[in-house]
Amino acid sequence: MHIAVLVKTVPDSEARMEISDGGRGLRVEEKWELNYFDAIAVEKAVKIKEAFPQVKVTAIAYGPRYVLEGLRKAVAMGADEAVHVEGKEGSWLYPLRAARVLSQALRDVGFHLILCGRKATDDDSGQVGPMVAEFLGIPHVSWASSLEWDGGDSLVAVRDLGDHKEKVRFSLPALVTAHKGLAEPRVPTIQGTMRGMRVQPRKLQAAEEPGTENWKLVRFAEPPRRPQVRIIEGDDPRAKARELLRILREEMSLL
Amino acid sequence: MEKGSIWVWVEKADGKVKQTSQEVLSQGRSMADELGGSLLAIMAGPVSEVNLEDLCGLPDQVIALEGDGEGGPSLIVETLEELIRKDPPWALLAPGTPSTMDWMPRLSVRLGVEMVSDVVGMELLEGGRLRVKRPVHGGRFLVEMESQEGGPRLLALRPRAFARKTGSRSPRVECFPMKARGPTEVQVLEKAQREKGFVDLSEARIVVSGGRGMGGPEAFFLLEELAAILGGAVGASRSVVDSGWRPASEQVGKSGRSVSPDLYMAFGISGAIHHIMGMDSSKVVVAVNKDPNALIFQHADLGIVDDVNHVLPALIEELKRRS
Ligand SMILES: Cc1cc2nc3c(=O)[nH]c(=O)nc-3n(C[C@H](O)[C@H](O)[C@H](O)COP(=O)(O)OP(=O)(O)OC[C@H]3O[C@@H](n4cnc5c(N)ncnc54)[C@H](O)[C@@H]3O)c2cc1C
Ligand SMILES: Nc1ncnc2c1ncn2[C@@H]1O[C@H](COP(=O)(O)O)[C@@H](O)[C@H]1O
């Protein structure tokens, strides 16, 4: 059994970012992390491998040099191999392009099960998983908060869809997108981290055609700023509660 | 259908058209009017279950996809692809819920056009170009994109980002068969029934969230009560979920859900960036925290510096007295 995990490297939440090139770009401080949901996917793959030693786990990333960070982390957590599909700066914002390139790489690398995140925290698109499945002509299960494999032909997953849950059964090959609950990402051991540092990812050329997109980026903008907070004063909690409700009702017509 | 037609994917819950779908219908109506085209609503289920009132007099036409249950992603993709290839719309809009995000990306691949998800604003420019806006990096920035020639434009709209309107049209209703061509690849073994009246976090008008400052799982009964009175949903910080006080489905933030309600109330939440990433696009934010320097106050419109264990019961009591 070969599990391929798609890992995206995204700016750390604390990384400084600013709009550049007169709105056409984002300048990001060089502080990267493995996308949270992808870390969950890696953890799940490694857990399966620990239960069934014949399982092989390959981490695949598409993008410029900085994606090595995510690949290193995946290997540090226990992935066997890393594949780097070299791409251009700015490709983080184009899910269809990423999905096309990744599915091509997946054909080269081979897989039985593909795990990825349910969304990336940079473009927040939540599209690449189902798109890759469609390119490869395989079924997918999105928002998996649990996944069980007993070594047999089929797997059982639970999808946590917010307003309800769904238990599904499916056979391989298939793609699963990881949601919270699927696994809790481990902190790599020192040996793991060393392995990650030393890993020489296999390089693949991306068959990308930038510029063919049917949506063009116009600009990045700052979201509207919230005014300074208005602190509600009062002699006791009851007075404050009453005043809050008055504002929400009378001034803001929210209640 | 003539040039400039807009299609809207409509979802139901408890047999009713969801509010988020009504928002998309409203947006679709405006676009269709601007383009001089018509508005078509598409929904899964038999014609007999189409309740016209729920559609707010907005569409000119309704297509009910009759067939195998609600249809998994491949079934919906196949059916929509067939419909679109026959008569391509100018745009297909859908509410950005986990269920649409299950099939729309696949449809995008089938049609070879990109989709845009989590759209929070759109504007039709001269020459029929469409400009859309969406948040990236957890709402730290907005990105604006413009559609090029060739369609259809596939868009998933963020729940609660668009206003709901009404019209006075009485649409004609047709049905179209939704039939599986092969065996279902993903078999649903069990579907936990959603509770009647359950409000999904990202679709709720009001979200009341609790953090570690709530003190423990028992205190969340108060939040549930407040949510029930206000017709809202309960949210939680990650610390609360990780401590097992609340289910993961309630987590708001970077690794949970993104919400943009009209009113977001944070009780005993410190305001870590990971939490802010999931709620900063809320229209009005109220924070209750005993620490006047808590970060959450930098992301709030209204604040109360006090103990949640005193403020929450007072809020509930005051609300009850008034009703
Ligand atoms: C990769 C990653 C992803 C993450 N994703 C998320 C996410 O999706 N969502 C999320 O929420 N967090 C997320 N976090 C965690 C986040 O960084 C914070 O740790 C978390 O949000 C803190 O939760 P909290 O505010 O409930 O608790 P705390 O930070 O402990 O804050 C408790 C607050 O309650 C106040 N308080 C205490 N007692 C009272 C009282 N009696 N009355 C009033 N106020 C009181 C305190 O002053 C304090 O401000 C993530 C972290 C990482 C590293
Ligand atoms: N450039 C990329 N390299 C590797 N995996 C990716 C890439 N982009 C997206 N993915 C995978 O697809 C998931 C969803 O991404 P997105 O559609 O961008 O929100 C991520 O969680 C990753 O698992």
Side-chain angles (χ1 to χ4, degrees):
Chain A
M1 163 101 141
H2 184 190
I3 307 179
V5 191
L6 305 181
V7 295
K8 193 172 189 183
T9 300
V10 298
D12 183 285
S13 307
E14 316 280 350
R16 275 196 307 272
M17 285 188 258
E18 59 184 24
I19 295 175
S20 63
D21 304 332
R24 308 214 111 242
L26 275 185
R27 204 180 358 253
V28 179
E29 185 189 1
E30 294 281 318
K31 268 179 156 176
W32 305 100
E33 67 180 16
L34 174 57
N35 181 45
Y36 181 75
F37 294 106
D38 304 359
I40 295 180
V42 171
E43 177 63 36
K44 186 67 204 184
V46 172
K47 280 261 159 60
I48 295 176
K49 174 183 131 112
E50 284 166 352
F52 300 93
Q54 78 275 24
V55 169
K56 185 176 119 185
V57 178
T58 303
I60 307 179
Y62 160 60
R65 259 195 71 81
Y66 67 76
V67 307
L68 289 176
E69 295 262 349
L71 284 174
R72 292 212 170 95
K73 181 71 177 283
V75 170
M77 289 173 71
D80 299 291
E81 275 171 33
V83 175
H84 178 193
V85 194
E86 292 175 286
K88 294 207 165 45
E89 204 75 50
S91 41
W92 64 276
L93 198 54
Y94 292 98
L96 186 64
R97 190 200 296 175
R100 186 183 291 119
V101 166
L102 286 166
S103 53
Q104 189 55 51
L106 282 156
R107 283 200 193 93
D108 285 1
V109 170
F111 60 87
H112 298 105
L113 172 65
I114 303 167
L115 291 179
C116 68
R118 83 154 166 85
K119 77 163 186 185
T121 55
D122 53 357
D123 69 345
D124 285 333
S125 97
Q127 300 175 18
V128 169
M131 280 178 166
V132 165
E134 182 64 37
F135 273 119
L136 296 171
I138 60 173
H140 81 268
V141 172
S142 62
W143 290 62
S145 60
S146 124
L147 178 65
E148 280 161 47
W149 183 53
D150 60 8
D153 288 337
S154 68
L155 291 92
V156 172
V158 174
R159 306 178 62 213
D160 188 349
L161 299 170
D163 65 353
H164 74 279
K165 286 188 184 188
E166 213 174 81
K167 192 172 188 178
V168 300
R169 192 208 304 280
F170 60 98
S171 314
L172 299 177
L175 178 145
V176 174
T177 82
H179 185 41
K180 195 178 160 88
L182 186 67
E184 196 50 51
R186 70 188 63 190
V187 177
T189 59
I190 293 183
Q191 294 91 316
T193 306
M194 298 292 282
R195 237 172 60 77
M197 299 293 275
R198 279 195 304 264
V199 72
Q200 295 290 333
R202 179 177 156 199
K203 281 193 192 326
L204 292 179
Q205 287 305 312
E208 58 177 7
E209 316 148 50
T212 57
E213 278 79 24
N214 53 317
W215 288 90
K216 288 270 181 296
L217 181 112
V218 180
R219 63 183 191 118
F220 290 97
E222 302 274 352
R225 281 211 176 281
R226 229 173 262 288
Q228 173 92 27
V229 63
R230 176 167 158 199
I231 298 289
I232 295 168
E233 308 291 348
D235 292 338
D236 56 18
R238 176 170 305 273
K240 292 178 192 171
R242 209 178 287 138
E243 174 62 1
L244 171 65
L245 292 176
R246 189 195 64 74
I247 297 172
L248 292 177
R249 256 193 214 112
E250 294 171 15
E251 293 181 25
M252 298 180 159
S253 314
L254 276 169
L255 302 182
Chain B
M1 193 157 281
E2 71 274 40
K3 214 171 165 221
S5 74
I6 305 293
W7 293 8
V8 167
W9 177 259
V10 171
E11 292 181 331
K12 287 182 289 189
D14 301 331
K16 285 213 173 85
V17 169
K18 291 215 262 178
Q19 142 112 26
T20 44
S21 292
Q22 294 171 336
E23 292 161 12
V24 182
L25 280 168
S26 308
Q27 195 57 29
R29 181 73 261 165
S30 314
M31 274 175 86
D33 289 345
E34 279 187 66
L35 290 165
S38 57
L39 179 66
L40 169 68
I42 307 175
M43 52 212 296
V47 171
S48 60
E49 282 177 16
V50 176
N51 180 350
L52 289 181
E53 258 166 51
D54 272 3
L55 297 166
C56 310
L58 292 164
D60 302 290
Q61 191 190 345
V62 178
I63 290 188
L65 301 180
E66 288 193 337
D68 311 336
E70 286 177 19
S74 355
L75 192 51
I76 295 175
V77 167
E78 269 177 26
T79 313
L80 287 179
E81 188 191 7
E82 190 181 332
L83 281 167
I84 289 173
R85 292 227 185 265
K86 258 204 295 215
D87 200 356
W90 195 82
L92 168 63
L93 319 183
T97 59
S99 19
T100 29
M101 289 309 292
D102 204 30
W103 58 260
M104 213 186 213
R106 296 194 77 126
L107 182 64
S108 152
V109 171
R110 281 283 180 103
L111 300 173
V113 295
E114 269 128 359
M115 63 168 289
V116 184
S117 48
D118 217 13
V119 173
V120 297
M122 49 170 113
E123 189 190 352
L124 211 48
L125 306 175
E126 263 173 59
R129 282 166 308 143
L130 180 66
R131 186 177 283 196
V132 301
K133 224 191 284 189
R134 64 183 306 269
V136 291
H137 291 292
R140 279 171 80 176
F141 299 99
L142 292 168
V143 64
E144 290 178 17
M145 325 263 286
E146 218 171 88
S147 72
Q148 307 298 298
E149 275 308 301
R153 292 143 190 89
L154 302 181
L155 303 168
L157 276 56
R158 176 176 257 204
R160 306 226 64 100
F162 296 92
R164 201 161 45 147
K165 295 177 207 138
T166 52
S168 55
R169 287 178 167 75
S170 29
R172 45 179 210 285
V173 185
E174 283 164 34
C175 82
F176 189 83
M178 181 154 75
K179 286 273 175 302
R181 259 151 251 182
T184 318
E185 291 162 311
V186 178
Q187 185 196 351
V188 179
L189 300 176
E190 237 176 85
K191 201 166 174 163
Q193 273 304 319
R194 58 198 294 289
E195 275 173 56
K196 219 175 147 46
F198 179 94
V199 195
D200 183 60
L201 203 52
S202 54
E203 300 175 24
R205 195 177 79 83
I206 297 180
V207 175
V208 295
S209 276
R212 209 205 295 276
M214 292 290 290
E218 326 74 47
F220 277 84
F221 287 115
L222 290 173
L223 270 191
E224 281 178 2
E225 195 175 351
L226 182 64
I229 297 174
L230 298 175
V234 174
S237 73
R238 176 171 167 190
S239 310
V240 159
V241 170
D242 287 355
S243 310
W245 298 358
R246 298 302 290 182
S249 56
E250 289 181 2
Q251 185 181 316
V252 172
K254 174 177 169 173
S255 51
R257 302 294 296 272
S258 299
V259 302
S260 346
D262 290 349
L263 176 60
Y264 186 86
M265 303 179 85
F267 293 91
I269 293 178
S270 60
I273 178 71
H274 308 102
H275 188 80
I276 301 302
M277 285 169 85
M279 47 63 75
D280 213 12
S281 57
S282 307
K283 272 154 223 116
V284 173
V285 175
V286 174
V288 181
N289 196 305
K290 67 178 183 188
D291 173 7
N293 296 319
L295 276 172
I296 189 77
F297 289 123
Q298 294 181 18
H299 299 271
D301 300 280
L302 298 168
I304 292 183
V305 181
D306 216 320
D307 191 326
V308 290
N309 298 305
H310 299 140
V311 177
L312 252 182
L315 275 173
I316 291 169
E317 213 170 293
E318 286 296 321
L319 279 164
K320 278 189 176 160
R321 249 187 11 174
R322 280 287 203 109
S323 53

